[in-house]
Amino acid sequence: MNVRSFQLSDYQPLTALLEEVLSEECYGLTMEAFARQLSWDSELVLVAVEHTEIVGMIIGTIDQNKGYYYRIAVSPHHRSKGVGKSLISGLRQRFQQRGVSKILIAADEHNEPVLPLYEAMGYATTDFFRSFQKLSIVAG
């Protein structure tokens, strides 16, 4: 499996993956944040590729020297195989290269099911960023 930056040729398979794994509401919010992040800094949108298939993705952003994991999605057929951990590690590496002062996890109702994954990777509940504002509006 290879984790790399999003490329324009990934758009169709990536949106198909998101449609498959996210609720309709979450898909809409994620696509807004995805488009916004691509316009700001496409290096913080990573995909996991197994052979030629996109099997996962993660969107991150940096705001005021803090890195945020915004959304992660993994194909149901590739879960529990380390894809999510590889994506989180890849994005953490990007954050560290950029010298962010703190890394936080956007914890909205759509991310609740994956918070244990972040905890298993050493993040604490104090690293979860809960806000009534959309992160995509706050970050920039």
Side-chain angles (χ1 to χ4, degrees):
M1 179 186 52
N2 180 34
V3 173
R4 60 168 172 74
S5 296
F6 171 83
Q7 299 170 356
L8 190 54
S9 61
D10 299 329
Y11 185 80
Q12 184 79 25
L14 180 65
T15 56
L17 170 70
L18 294 176
E19 284 179 336
E20 178 186 7
V21 301
L22 303 178
S23 69
E24 190 175 327
E25 178 189 9
C26 184
Y27 175 81
L29 294 171
T30 301
M31 290 306 291
E32 286 176 29
F34 172 60
R36 206 169 284 115
Q37 188 57 41
L38 286 180
S39 71
W40 290 332
D41 187 349
S42 63
E43 293 294 308
L44 298 179
V45 178
L46 303 181
V47 295
V49 182
E50 182 75 34
H51 304 292
T52 59
E53 179 187 4
I54 302 259
V55 297
M57 65 86 67
I58 193 166
I59 301 171
T61 194
I62 296 174
D63 182 37
Q64 298 179 2
N65 205 33
K66 291 181 183 149
Y68 293 87
Y69 296 105
Y70 174 69
R71 185 80 69 226
I72 187 168
V74 175
S75 165
H77 307 293
H78 292 86
R79 291 184 183 158
S80 300
K81 296 181 180 179
V83 175
K85 288 180 180 179
S86 295
L87 287 164
I88 292 167
S89 295
L91 190 53
R92 179 175 49 221
Q93 194 172 52
R94 301 274 169 108
F95 287 150
Q96 290 169 341
Q97 289 169 349
R98 305 279 181 94
V100 301
S101 61
K102 183 154 182 68
I103 299 173
L104 298 165
I105 297 100
D108 62 19
E109 69 270 19
H110 304 293
N111 282 349
E112 289 293 330
V114 296
L115 296 182
L117 173 60
Y118 288 104
E119 290 173 329
M121 293 190 67
Y123 291 96
T125 55
T126 54
D127 298 321
F128 299 158
F129 175 78
R130 289 182 168 86
S131 173
F132 294 108
Q133 300 178 38
K134 289 183 186 175
L135 180 62
S136 57
I137 293 171
V138 176

